[in-house]
Amino acid sequence: MRHLLVLLLLVLSFSCAEIQQRQSFSSVNIETVYEDSLSIRAIEIMGGSLAFAADKGTFGSIDLTSGKVRTNVKKYDTITPHFRAVAHTSTDFFMLSIANPALLYKTGSRGQMELVYKEEDETVFYDAMTFWNDKEGIAVGDSMNGCLSMIITRDGGLTWQKLPCSNLPAAIEGEGAFAASNTNIEIKGNKTWVATTAGRIYFSSDKGKSWDIQTTPIVSKEPTQGIYSIDFYDENIGVAFGGDYTAPEGNTGNKAITNDGGSNWHLIADGQDPTYKSCVQFVPNSEGKELLALGFTGISYSSDQGNTWTELSKEPFYTIRFKNDSVAYAAGKNRISKLVFK
């Protein structure tokens, strides 16, 4: 009898585990946690805080437990930088400005942001950055002198070196990236994917030492078209989202998926909503099946790897980061909000 009771308990436990499967999102509750007259396109969750940088030289953090907000303004001489890229290691926060001069700051030993890289050129324009680990990181910008701009650090962000064009594939004329959500670089292990305005993806298997080109069917005929955002669930399953922010109602050729690490991409929900989005992310713990895409056109969700989508909200945002599989933070014009999905 005792053995039968143990067996019954095991069966019941297994049955309950089967029942407790993830439920698809059907709604989202949006709570504003920070407001200011800013354009906020770059956020990062760092432990119990959310760090951000924006235009008007503004950067700061939000304590996710208490809600306390700390902000500061960084100026360079008479220049007020416009930040659209941020990144972090386990110890430091980084922020990178667009346009000339490009200014990359790192938290310093005395708690002040210190300039660790500067690039001056009329055509310089950096778009996104991230780290492979605590020592190695990368930032990407528009093409200059025939190749995409890439700077890399191997010493924790203390120094940065720009890759010479001889180390990179030749750029298509006018090829760059969109500084729309700080999500056109994705890293899994040593592998790196960088999405461009030309609908192409620069792929490296060795943390930026060598690069190849992956092609996608994302529309890229006009300068305002191309890939705005990519995300990978693992080293195989990835998604790319794009379109044209000047014609945001378009829904053809604007979203694609890969299941082989980017060697092959195919369109999903082509000719169907959602329309233009500036940021796409896989929902954590969803086995690569659930996707969340947002932009100034609202928030859309898919539970079947992008084949069909549901609009959860018309609220406009630029970028999003998940804290866990049901809570995220999104930023946009004049605000940062907490999103709880149900």
Side-chain angles (χ1 to χ4, degrees):
M1 180 65 71
R2 183 178 178 183
H3 293 299
L4 288 174
L5 179 60
V6 171
L7 181 60
L8 179 60
L9 289 172
L10 288 172
V11 171
L12 287 174
S13 298
F14 181 73
S15 299
C16 289
E18 281 191 320
I19 293 171
Q20 293 175 356
Q21 295 179 350
R22 281 187 52 80
Q23 297 297 311
S24 298
F25 296 155
S26 59
S27 64
V28 59
N29 179 67
I30 301 173
E31 174 193 357
T32 298
V33 296
Y34 172 67
E35 287 184 285
D36 203 345
S37 56
L38 299 169
S39 173
I40 308 169
R41 294 179 179 269
I43 58 176
E44 285 287 310
I45 294 177
M46 299 175 59
S49 298
L50 181 141
F52 66 92
D55 60 349
K56 302 179 183 179
T58 302
F59 65 99
S61 66
I62 303 170
D63 187 299
L64 300 182
T65 300
S66 68
K68 185 175 182 179
V69 180
R70 294 183 176 89
T71 63
N72 209 331
V73 173
K74 191 67 182 180
K75 291 189 176 182
Y76 179 80
D77 293 334
T78 60
I79 298 170
T80 302
H82 185 146
F83 297 108
R84 291 198 184 184
V86 300
H88 71 92
T89 62
S90 62
T91 57
D92 291 299
F93 172 68
F94 298 80
M95 57 189 190
L96 174 60
S97 69
I98 58 173
N100 183 32
L103 304 168
L104 199 166
Y105 290 92
K106 168 189 177 295
T107 46
S109 57
R110 293 176 294 177
Q112 301 292 320
M113 298 301 291
E114 297 179 355
L115 185 67
V116 292
Y117 181 81
K118 180 177 72 170
E119 186 174 343
E120 296 179 284
D121 192 285
E122 288 301 317
T123 59
V124 69
F125 197 101
Y126 279 91
D127 307 284
M129 66 185 305
T130 192
F131 275 76
W132 288 285
N133 51 53
D134 277 355
K135 289 294 185 181
E136 299 170 293
I138 180 173
V140 173
D142 294 354
S143 59
M144 296 171 60
N145 305 313
C147 69
L148 213 62
S149 294
M150 290 192 187
I151 57 174
I152 288 178
T153 180
R154 306 286 184 189
D155 60 6
L158 294 173
T159 61
W160 297 75
Q161 288 77 41
K162 190 167 187 178
L163 293 184
C165 285
S166 58
N167 288 15
L168 290 163
I172 295 173
E173 184 177 357
E175 186 174 21
F178 290 109
S181 61
N182 196 39
T183 55
N184 48 32
I185 311 174
E186 178 59 12
I187 283 173
K188 292 295 178 187
N190 294 339
K191 296 182 178 180
T192 311
W193 298 263
V194 175
T196 78
T197 58
R200 304 199 302 173
I201 291 177
Y202 286 59
F203 173 70
S204 172
S205 62
D206 53 12
K207 292 188 288 188
K209 296 181 178 68
S210 62
W211 295 89
D212 295 308
I213 294 293
Q214 297 176 347
T215 59
T216 80
I218 297 290
V219 62
S220 59
K221 295 179 181 179
E222 301 296 331
T224 51
Q225 295 176 335
I227 304 172
Y228 280 77
S229 177
I230 58 170
D231 192 32
F232 273 74
Y233 188 79
D234 55 28
E235 292 189 354
N236 294 309
I237 305 172
V239 64
F241 229 98
D244 187 338
Y245 78 92
T246 65
E249 70 282 354
N251 59 13
T252 58
N254 70 323
K255 40 198 176 292
I257 201 157
T258 179
N259 286 290
D260 58 11
S263 296
N264 296 280
W265 293 82
H266 64 270
L267 293 174
I268 49 176
D270 197 32
Q272 304 173 41
D273 288 343
T275 58
Y276 161 81
K277 303 294 180 188
S278 57
C279 185
V280 63
Q281 296 283 281
F282 282 98
V283 178
N285 304 319
S286 67
E287 298 181 348
K289 296 177 181 178
E290 298 176 54
L291 291 162
L292 200 290
L294 55 68
F296 63 76
T297 54
I299 304 170
S300 294
Y301 164 77
S302 173
S303 61
D304 58 4
Q305 215 168 70
N307 291 305
T308 60
W309 294 79
T310 300
E311 184 179 74
L312 297 182
S313 174
K314 295 186 181 297
E315 290 286 331
F317 291 100
Y318 297 143
T319 190
I320 187 171
R321 292 292 185 277
F322 276 92
K323 181 184 179 184
N324 53 44
D325 57 14
S326 61
V327 177
Y329 288 84
K333 185 178 180 181
N334 304 332
R335 64 173 172 165
I336 297 173
S337 297
K338 180 180 179 180
L339 279 56
V340 179
F341 298 94
K342 299 179 181 179

